[in-house]
Amino acid sequence: MTDTPTLSIVVPCYNEEGNLIPLVTAIRETMEPLKLTYEIIIADDCSKDKSWEILEKLGAEDPRIRALRFVKNAGQSAAMWAGMNAARGQYIATLDADLQNDPKDLPKFLEALKQADCVCGSRVEQRRKGDNVVRQLSSKIANGVRNKITRENVTDSACCYRVFKRECVGNLKFFKGMHRFLPTLFKIEGYTVAEIPISHHERFAGQSNYGVWNRLFASSYDLFAVRWMQKRMFRFQVKDRVNF
Ligand code: UDP
Ligand code: MG
């Protein structure tokens, strides 16, 4: 066991054998000069490649690297949730394993966190650098529909590069696909959310787990559940108490 870290960096991982060592190296390079205690929690969503062997090795060399592995593939949201649940830091960062999100942006997030409970990355300005036109378009449409239904103006809801205070996840309702709605779910709980532009790169190694179809439609079902939650969640404050 290491000392309680200030920042827990949570990474979902499915078949990312070619990315894990470069990712951990990049995180270390960014974090070392910050003089901030941190841990990296990698949730292996039952990868079929050598990801787990690599994680065991990384964990044996560095106690700040913690890893868990699912029995069966349970999806990105579940992996993120398991990682967040294990986090011990005052702050939690979530980012993808494939280096599309750049660990170099972490200090920017931490700075912005002084003004909000959660800071979300937005790839909008840099999108064309990391994704082809079809991916950009399907993501734009899905994002637009999500904003319309949930009355939000999140510029990039599917971007999972975020940093937030650990208390934000305390009461979170979790479900498959929740990673696309995290800013809205935090707002339902009364937390403040800010956005910052981030870098966006091509996948370093391996393949994307999503096609146009699931990028466009996978979340439409969840969308109405989130809208329902926004409208139906209790919102009350106790004014006075007697004999409590
Ligand atoms: N991922 C996961 N379980 C899955 C699918 C994806 O843990 O069933 C992880 C994946 O390893 C990556 C992140 O979720 O760290 C985002 O996946 P991907 O890069 O395939 O999505 P894209 O960037 O293409 O939208
Ligand atoms: Mg990716």
Side-chain angles (χ1 to χ4, degrees):
M1 273 282 189
T2 51
D3 292 340
T4 308
T6 304
L7 180 68
S8 298
I9 300 167
V10 170
V11 183
C13 159
Y14 185 59
N15 297 340
E16 304 283 9
E17 62 183 5
N19 294 318
L20 293 171
I21 293 171
L23 174 77
V24 166
T25 308
I27 293 176
R28 281 188 186 130
E29 275 168 15
T30 298
M31 291 305 296
E32 281 338 307
L34 298 186
K35 306 272 177 259
L36 208 80
T37 50
Y38 68 96
E39 62 181 357
I40 305 173
I41 303 175
I42 302 180
D44 182 351
D45 192 8
C46 194
S47 295
K48 296 193 189 84
D49 65 0
K50 295 203 166 57
S51 293
W52 183 249
E53 284 156 72
I54 295 168
L55 289 174
E56 280 185 315
K57 205 162 167 281
L58 284 169
E61 289 162 1
D62 184 348
R64 291 173 305 184
I65 299 175
R66 304 167 64 207
L68 61 90
R69 167 162 70 152
F70 286 165
V71 171
K72 278 194 213 159
N73 179 258
Q76 182 179 345
S77 284
M80 284 174 66
W81 175 252
M84 291 191 261
N85 248 343
R88 296 172 301 178
Q90 189 181 349
Y91 306 110
I92 299 177
T94 57
L95 75 161
D96 293 349
D98 55 8
L99 287 154
Q100 287 204 274
N101 305 140
D102 194 333
K104 283 200 191 85
D105 285 330
L106 279 169
K108 239 175 28 174
F109 276 97
L110 291 166
E111 185 56 35
L113 203 59
K114 291 179 185 158
Q115 315 293 335
D117 299 315
C118 168
V119 181
C120 300
S122 167
R123 302 164 293 184
V124 173
E125 284 173 22
Q126 303 251 328
R127 192 85 211 225
R128 69 206 139 72
K129 293 191 185 156
D131 289 318
N132 65 35
V133 179
V134 179
R135 284 174 58 118
Q136 287 173 50
L137 193 67
S138 51
S139 196
K140 201 171 171 184
I141 295 170
N143 199 67
V145 174
R146 259 173 240 145
N147 276 336
K148 183 116 189 110
I149 307 276
T150 56
R151 274 74 161 170
E152 285 276 20
N153 57 355
V154 178
T155 60
D156 191 6
S157 60
C159 174
C160 291
Y161 199 177
R162 306 173 179 119
V163 182
F164 42 88
K165 296 177 181 156
R166 190 161 58 126
E167 61 258 32
C168 294
V169 295
N171 288 323
L172 210 63
K173 315 294 169 294
F174 50 95
F175 54 86
K176 273 191 176 182
M178 68 173 272
H179 62 274
R180 300 187 183 90
F181 298 97
L182 214 61
T184 303
L185 296 172
F186 285 162
K187 284 188 198 168
I188 291 174
E189 301 294 332
Y191 294 108
T192 55
V193 177
E195 257 186 24
I196 56 167
I198 53 163
S199 333
H200 187 55
H201 307 294
E202 279 184 39
R203 196 171 232 287
F204 184 77
Q207 283 178 350
S208 168
N209 291 282
Y210 301 98
V212 179
W213 182 259
N214 53 20
R215 213 175 286 279
L216 265 177
F217 299 110
S219 66
S220 30
Y221 195 40
D222 309 328
L223 195 52
F224 292 96
V226 173
R227 180 69 196 138
W228 179 86
M229 268 189 229
Q230 282 178 311
K231 291 181 84 167
R232 304 291 290 164
M233 294 296 282
F234 288 141
R235 250 179 221 95
F236 64 83
Q237 285 178 300
V238 176
K239 188 174 177 203
D240 298 306
R241 290 183 170 90
V242 173
N243 289 340
F244 261 69

